[in-house]
Amino acid sequence: MNTLAIIFWFFISIIFYSYLGYGIVLYILVKIKEKFYPELILSNNRYAPMVSFIIPCYNEASIISAKIKNTQYLDYPLDKIQIIIITDGSTDGTEKIVSSFLNVALLHRNERKGKSAAVNRAVAYADGDIIIVSDANTALNPDAIKKMMRHYVDPMVGAVSGEKRIQLEEKENAAGAGEGIYWKYESLLKNLDSRLLTMVGAAGELFSFRKHLFNRIEEDTILDDFMLSMRITEKGYLVKYEPEAVAVETSSVNTKEELKRKIRICAGGWQAMSRLKDALNFCKHPLLTFQYVSHRVLRWTLAPLVLFLLLPLNIIMANQDLFYANALIVHLSFYAAASLGWIMENRSIRIKIFFVPYYFLVMNYAALAGYFRFMQGKQSAAWERSERKIEITKQAA
């Protein structure tokens, strides 16, 4: 096997492992673990510590009333839940709407410093032993808090994350179809990660943690939820996944808005990797490092790079061997399908099979773009709301 062939198969291996192979390995490891150490069945739904439910907002006047009502209707003792809404920097009157609700604490300053600064301020104000952070544009199922709290019976559990679901229409656009499929697979990986040891990063749609484990996060932090959860794992605690605590949100209105969101996430990923030193210390946290590198680091670093280098390499090798010529046909077919997905989205034609390769390429482009934005220091910590479809105004089913 010549040098080009070795590089080609190395590239294929990285891409396969990053997106499918790790899931297969993870599934096998979980099955082996649970054969010898069966998973604990959580049945204690009566554990009800004092919780502070924090909702960071920026210009959410159109949906904040629905979010507050959804939160107030959650099945949890009223004397055990403190609802805190922080609206720093909002200019659309969000804080005035919040102030009209009873039993809701409002924190508001005219200055906008970003979500990380808001979370720092809200946690300092909170009275609960457990902090829950939830995005304003999500709806939760009624027993979401109860399902999350049962994990805290175990003193080694430092945080619990709920499941994010995308509400899809029957005829969905590329962003919605791609995001929906991506999150179904991502949820599966999160569940398996949790069952093997711990989640590697929680999503801010619905995330909880023990207050005493909280350390103020840098105000320029882009992915506050990811950094918070990873620093808890670096302390030796576990971050568990609760699939029965569901946060539902609508998809991005189009791929342009989804790309903006993904680039921000990937820039935040590079920032996180530069700060999470212990998570990459294999000698100190061998299993955590394995999960972190396999699930996150490769997707943000090597996989996107080799994906886009693979095509020119395949073109060079096509003249050397019939196998590589056939591989090029498959390769070009994939890009053709992605191009059709782009064309169909622009013409509002809904054929989901073409949206998957299109979304996959967009996601990997975002990883590269996120790297350059991070290196140039152009990614603000202040969250820019992506335009989504009609917001959810009722409780999640």
Side-chain angles (χ1 to χ4, degrees), residues 50-52 82 126-131 211:
M50 180 67 189
V51 303
S52 292
Q82 174 192 32
D127 297 326
D129 299 314
I130 305 295
I131 305 295
K211 184 180 179 181

Side-chain angles (χ1 to χ4, degrees), residues 247-260:
V248 180
E249 69 177 13
T250 52
S251 62
S252 299
V253 70
N254 54 43
T255 303
K256 180 180 178 181
E257 290 297 312
E258 179 66 3
L259 178 61
K260 179 174 71 174

Side-chain angles (χ1 to χ4, degrees), residues 44-61:
N44 187 355
N45 290 322
R46 296 182 179 180
Y47 183 62
M50 180 67 189
V51 303
S52 292
F53 196 105
I54 298 172
I55 305 170
C57 297
Y58 173 70
N59 285 351
E60 301 283 12

Side-chain angles (χ1 to χ4, degrees), residues 16-29 185 189 192-193 196 198 200 287 290-296 298-299:
F16 177 79
Y17 180 75
S18 299
Y19 294 105
L20 290 176
Y22 174 61
I24 296 171
V25 172
L26 189 58
Y27 177 82
I28 294 170
L29 291 176
Y185 181 59
L189 291 184
L192 291 172
D193 270 334
L196 181 63
T198 181
V200 282
L287 194 49
F290 163 70
Q291 291 180 285
Y292 178 43
V293 171
S294 299
H295 194 164
R296 299 295 183 184
L298 285 177
R299 287 195 193 180

Side-chain angles (χ1 to χ4, degrees), residues 55-73:
I55 305 170
C57 297
Y58 173 70
N59 285 351
E60 301 283 12
S62 63
I63 60 172
I64 192 60
S65 292
K67 178 64 176 181
I68 293 173
K69 292 174 183 177
N70 175 249
T71 305
Q72 290 179 329
Y73 289 141

Side-chain angles (χ1 to χ4, degrees), residues 103-116:
N103 301 319
V104 175
L106 169 65
L107 302 181
H108 178 78
R109 288 178 180 172
N110 291 330
E111 183 181 13
R112 184 190 183 200
K113 289 187 175 181
K115 185 179 177 183
S116 295

